[in-house]
Amino acid sequence: MWGMNPLVRHHVTVGGSGTGSPLLLAHGFGCDQHMWRAMAPYLEDDHRLVMFDHVGAGASDTSAYDPARYASLQGYADDAIEICDALDLRDVVFVGHSVSAMIGALAAGKRPDLFAKLVMVSPSARYIDDGAYVGGFSPADVDELLDSMDRNYLGWSRTMAPVIMANADRPELAGELHESFCRSDPTIAKAFANVTFRSDNRRDLDAVQAPTLVLQSREDLIAPQSAGEFVRDHLREAEYVVLDTTGHCPHLSAPAETAAAIRSFLGSA
Amino acid sequence: MTMAGRDDFELAPCGYLELGPDGRILAVNPKFLALVGLPHDDIVGTMSLVDFLGVGDRMYHETHYRPMLQMQGEAHEIAFDLKRSDGATVPVLLSSNVTPGVDGSPVIRTIVFEARERRTYEEELLTARRAAEEAETRALTLGRTLQETFVPPAPPNVVGIDIAGVYRPAGDGSEVGGDFYDVFQIREGDWLVALGDVAGKGVDAAAVTTFVQHAIRAVAIPSGSTAEMLTGLNAALLGASYDRFCTVVLMRLQQHDGRWTASVSCGGHDLPLLRDSSGTVRELGEWGSLLGVADAPQLSEEQVELHEGDTVLLFTDGVTEARHGLDMYGQERLRALLATAGSTSQELVTELLDDVMAFQGADARDDIALVAITVSPQG
């Protein structure tokens, strides 16, 4: 009903100075755009870096959270498209971590004109096992995750809001964002966990025309190699790189290697 | 060994672990071995902390705990359930930091507290909180439904006039505000635009807002001047003995021979702004009394003929009193933006709202309502 500027809604920050294709960096479930900080220095000389928070995460406008819009990943994909349009971006490289890899697939499927290439960091097209398909989790596992989140929000949720608001007012105190890192609105975070881990985006890969780089950690408890391989095998044009690191966030555990793979894929190496 | 004193490590009343950057356990103390019920040699060098976690906790570990450690070098009071070798679970709290070990490579030091009683207590709190959240959700839905009646779902289609309105509740929108607007037809070629703000928030204020909206429609029917309408509204408010005042601006739009006249009266409300086609901005109307306070309010009406391309903007104080630190948005900023902003009414109100929201860091301290009318080119 009310006008909402996507750049405000998502606390969009633009960095980097390069003339290469702009990179839209979409964080995954759990944290916010600060996840990209470790990797950004390796990319910012050649590319403009557009970072943002999904609604409910980081310093986004949580009042913009609409349960109906965000009941599927398409709502998040539409957000990404709105951000690109608001900045008048062209030839965008959508770099999505974790669930945002599939958000990128949806965005690229809807607007092939906008996204030139995709980079999927630790993707999984479906987290829950389905017949012969191994996602690695069962529906009960997702319930357990929600319980784990509940236990951990008990001590956090009430103190989180003022910290984030203080930072929105005073961007110069970027150091204080430290405190809000990985702390998002608990109700929205649980809804995001549900839509993340219960989505099935296997068929959405068919609609992706853009060449895609699939980055996979050697060991990842959230998105195992079988998940990365599935994504690779179901994309029209995919390059698959296994990074010699462990964990779900190679851009944190091995930022230089992750950036090098992206630069090589984009021809900016 | 990276420990300061061997005894501290052996005798500590909490579990203590040192982990490599990949999570593999490099050292543990006896208390940790007792917590999980495994001998030292089964754990050190072979197992990781996640091996003692259930799937949900593992997912949380990978998506929250580990990124936090990597980003900020520490994480505190994380609640997990450790799986013991006998199948039982131990509720624990973990705190970790990352520091260089003797050879310079990072070591994650983690303390583990058994938190059985605390967890029981927290689970009770959680149950209570879930119940409270459900109640809050119901109240929120009720409030939103109520709030939606304060503005028309879409402005009416008036031939010759381009009308648009926006409404943005304060904060996260969880509380019902007192701002409202309405646009309705009195008769053929005769329309009333009303916008106002009832003092206070919450259900009590909402009841008054609903009353005021209905009263405005009632006082519009005899169709005297807009000042007479506001006088009637004031009397209705006093008669209803609500202990709340409100501010209202009324603008009547009448069409005669293809030309539009605006008649404006303000009861304690910021004066509307008129922008003509040259971009000059001026106030319309004169200041009048707050409504619902005094028996004999001072109210007047200004009539002005509107020309093609003229725009009138009605707004609530959530616009002018928006704050950025000590700085207020203010009339000057509003006038300056109005002079150049959007050509259609919809573009105008959207642009103004975005600017006011950006000014206050996306955190609206008060409700914001904006209505713009623009006289369309004839044809």
Side-chain angles (χ1 to χ4, degrees):
Chain A
M1 176 173 67
W2 55 77
M4 276 189 285
N5 181 341
L7 305 184
V8 176
R9 185 176 68 201
H10 295 284
H11 193 242
V12 173
T13 56
V14 181
S17 54
T19 52
S21 300
L23 307 190
L24 180 71
L25 298 160
H27 70 83
F29 165 73
C31 292
D32 58 42
Q33 62 179 289
H34 290 88
M35 290 284 268
W36 300 111
R37 262 203 207 158
M39 193 175 74
Y42 299 99
L43 299 167
E44 62 197 5
D45 287 344
D46 292 302
H47 300 276
R48 271 174 85 199
L49 306 180
V50 179
M51 291 177 270
F52 69 99
D53 295 328
H54 289 305
V55 168
S60 64
D61 180 0
T62 51
S63 73
Y65 188 79
D66 171 358
R69 177 178 174 96
Y70 298 113
S72 86
L73 294 180
Q74 189 63 52
Y76 292 92
D78 292 343
D79 283 349
I81 291 170
E82 284 178 27
I83 291 168
C84 292
D85 284 341
L87 290 170
D88 204 17
L89 300 179
R90 291 283 176 275
D91 287 328
V92 180
V93 179
F94 189 115
V95 183
H97 171 233
S98 183
V99 64
S100 286
M102 291 307 121
I103 291 170
L106 291 167
K110 187 168 179 177
R111 286 284 302 277
D113 59 303
L114 190 55
F115 299 100
K117 289 182 176 178
L118 301 187
V119 176
M120 299 185 171
V121 184
S122 312
S124 174
R126 178 182 161 112
Y127 291 93
I128 294 176
D129 298 339
D130 179 31
Y133 174 84
V134 179
F137 298 97
S138 71
D141 294 337
V142 180
D143 292 335
E144 271 192 42
L145 169 65
L146 298 180
D147 286 343
S148 190
M149 289 172 73
D150 259 345
R151 280 205 297 276
N152 282 294
Y153 279 126
L154 202 65
W156 286 3
S157 54
R158 294 303 166 198
T159 53
M160 171 210 67
V163 173
I164 287 177
M165 284 198 278
N167 276 297
D169 261 0
R170 301 150 74 195
E172 71 275 18
L173 298 180
E176 285 189 9
L177 271 172
H178 202 77
E179 294 297 318
S180 67
F181 180 68
C182 288
R183 301 182 180 194
S184 49
D185 181 283
T187 312
I188 300 176
K190 279 172 66 180
F192 191 33
N194 261 317
V195 72
T196 293
F197 289 105
R198 297 194 205 276
S199 285
D200 184 351
N201 298 104
R202 290 175 293 177
R203 301 219 144 179
D204 299 314
L205 298 174
D206 301 341
V208 177
Q209 293 164 20
T212 303
L213 171 65
V214 178
L215 291 175
Q216 173 71 45
S217 269
R218 182 166 44 79
E219 281 177 42
D220 182 349
L221 290 176
I222 302 291
Q225 288 210 24
S226 58
E229 288 162 4
F230 180 93
V231 172
R232 172 198 64 195
D233 295 342
H234 289 79
L235 284 168
R236 209 162 296 186
E237 194 180 337
E239 192 175 307
Y240 183 67
V241 175
V242 178
L243 297 161
D244 186 21
T245 186
T246 64
H248 189 49
C249 307
H251 48 316
L252 282 182
S253 57
E257 293 80 353
T258 308
I262 294 174
R263 290 169 58 85
S264 160
F265 171 67
L266 299 178
S268 48
Chain B
M1 178 44 58
T2 52
M3 293 297 302
R6 201 58 225 167
D7 282 352
D8 296 342
F9 185 67
E10 296 294 336
L11 304 176
C14 63
Y16 180 91
L17 304 127
E18 290 175 359
L19 315 166
D22 60 355
R24 208 167 300 281
I25 295 172
L26 307 175
V28 292
N29 73 348
K31 178 67 181 173
F32 184 81
L33 299 176
L35 278 174
V36 296
L38 279 177
H40 176 275
D41 292 350
D42 284 8
I43 296 176
V44 174
T46 53
M47 293 181 77
S48 297
L49 181 59
V50 288
D51 294 329
F52 295 98
L53 303 180
V55 181
D57 282 350
R58 277 188 199 196
M59 293 166 87
Y60 191 83
H61 181 280
E62 294 300 305
T63 53
H64 291 73
Y65 187 61
R66 201 164 163 182
M68 263 194 284
L69 278 179
Q70 286 166 326
M71 280 295 292
Q72 54 195 35
E74 55 186 36
H76 297 290
E77 292 186 57
I78 311 297
F80 284 138
D81 285 338
L82 285 188
K83 293 191 293 183
R84 282 178 52 87
S85 59
D86 59 11
T89 58
V90 191
V92 294
L93 288 177
L94 301 190
S95 286
S96 301
N97 66 11
V98 187
T99 48
V102 276
D103 64 352
S105 66
V107 175
I108 304 168
R109 294 161 210 272
T110 299
I111 51 171
V112 183
F113 287 98
E114 189 168 350
R116 204 175 288 278
E117 299 215 1
R118 172 171 292 259
R119 184 66 58 78
T120 309
Y121 174 60
E122 285 181 351
E123 273 162 13
E124 285 168 12
L125 283 181
L126 204 55
T127 308
R129 193 176 129 185
R130 281 178 182 153
E133 279 171 355
E134 278 173 28
E136 199 179 326
T137 306
R138 282 196 298 273
L140 206 64
T141 312
L142 189 67
R144 291 231 164 107
T145 310
L146 196 57
Q147 187 104 59
E148 279 167 12
T149 67
F150 294 171
V151 300
N157 202 359
V158 181
V159 176
I161 298 272
D162 168 25
I163 305 178
V166 282
Y167 176 81
R168 169 72 159 80
D172 62 0
S174 58
E175 200 169 24
V176 187
D179 284 11
F180 68 91
Y181 67 82
D182 201 0
V183 184
F184 59 91
Q185 188 171 30
I186 299 174
R187 60 182 61 79
E188 187 74 28
D190 189 357
W191 294 80
L192 193 69
V193 182
L195 177 140
D197 183 1
V198 171
K201 293 195 182 308
V203 177
D204 292 349
V208 181
T209 306
T210 304
F211 176 84
V212 168
Q213 282 189 293
H214 287 287
I216 288 172
R217 289 201 171 221
V219 297
I221 292 168
S223 77
S225 71
T226 49
E228 283 164 348
M229 293 178 195
L230 286 184
T231 305
L233 173 61
N234 185 63
L237 265 171
L238 291 174
S241 330
Y242 289 118
D243 202 14
R244 274 175 202 275
F245 59 85
C246 67
T247 71
V248 176
V249 51
L250 295 183
M251 176 170 66
R252 188 169 179 182
L253 296 168
Q254 289 169 289
Q255 194 178 30
H256 298 289
D257 305 327
R259 307 179 78 85
W260 287 94
T261 311
S263 310
V264 172
S265 185
C266 294
H269 199 93
D270 284 317
L271 305 182
L273 296 172
L274 168 67
R275 176 186 71 186
D276 66 23
S277 51
S278 73
T280 309
V281 175
R282 75 163 181 99
E283 288 181 333
L284 264 189
E286 287 177 26
W287 273 90
S289 308
L290 281 172
L291 304 179
V293 182
D295 286 331
Q298 299 294 309
L299 296 159
S300 61
E301 178 180 89
E302 179 183 343
Q303 274 194 17
V304 58
E305 187 172 325
L306 297 178
H307 304 99
E308 189 179 310
D310 283 358
T311 294
V312 183
L313 178 74
L314 290 71
F315 56 94
T316 54
D317 58 6
V319 174
T320 43
E321 292 175 10
R323 283 179 176 277
H324 175 73
L326 293 175
D327 199 10
M328 265 212 307
Y329 191 80
Q331 277 266 354
E332 287 313 306
R333 222 179 293 258
L334 177 61
R335 281 168 168 248
L337 188 54
L338 174 60
T340 57
S343 54
T344 69
S345 292
Q346 186 60 52
E347 283 170 15
L348 173 66
V349 292
T350 304
E351 199 174 324
L352 289 173
L353 178 64
D354 285 346
D355 194 59
V356 175
M357 288 308 292
F359 180 80
Q360 52 191 339
D363 175 33
R365 283 163 180 74
D366 196 1
D367 307 332
I368 296 167
L370 289 159
V371 173
I373 68 105
T374 304
V375 179
S376 310
Q378 299 198 353

